[in-house]
Amino acid sequence: MSTLVRPQNNIQNTYLGGILIVVAFLNAFIEFYQLQKSEAILASFLAMIPPSCRVMRDGTLSSIPAADLVKGDIVLLVCSISCLFLLSNF
């Protein structure tokens, strides 16, 4: 004995489907916005990295591009804020 299931015009399922679609698009928009913000923050971090640095390599102090640093280079660091703080305490 087989019974046929006929589609019904169920308005609740239509509303539920519409709400789920809206939530999915809202979720996609929020994820896109967060991705754009995180990429902007990472780009600002990359902008803080200086393009060149002063290193002691083979006994000589030279200025080279930061991308050319290798293991064994001694990097010259300038700490003006902490040096001023230390000098003001003496």
Side-chain angles (χ1 to χ4, degrees), residues 44-65:
S44 69
F45 284 152
L46 288 176
M48 289 192 301
I49 297 173
S52 64
C53 58
R54 296 187 65 181
V55 298
M56 180 73 74
R57 183 184 283 177
D58 297 329
T60 60
L61 186 64
S62 59
S63 181
I64 63 167

Side-chain angles (χ1 to χ4, degrees), residues 10-22:
N10 193 349
I11 197 74
Q12 291 175 346
N13 287 339
T14 305
Y15 284 138
L16 183 61
I19 290 171
L20 289 175
I21 289 172
V22 169

Side-chain angles (χ1 to χ4, degrees), residues 68-87:
D68 293 341
L69 282 174
V70 294
K71 188 176 180 179
D73 285 342
I74 300 171
V75 179
L76 176 67
L77 297 176
V78 178
C79 55
S80 59
I81 295 174
S82 61
C83 291
L84 289 175
F85 178 71
L86 289 175
L87 292 174

Side-chain angles (χ1 to χ4, degrees), residues 17-55:
I19 290 171
L20 289 175
I21 289 172
V22 169
V23 168
F25 277 110
L26 183 64
N27 189 19
F29 173 75
I30 290 171
E31 184 176 350
F32 176 77
Y33 177 74
Q34 287 178 342
L35 183 63
Q36 294 298 318
K37 294 294 281 184
S38 66
E39 285 179 1
I41 290 171
L42 286 175
S44 69
F45 284 152
L46 288 176
M48 289 192 301
I49 297 173
S52 64
C53 58
R54 296 187 65 181
V55 298

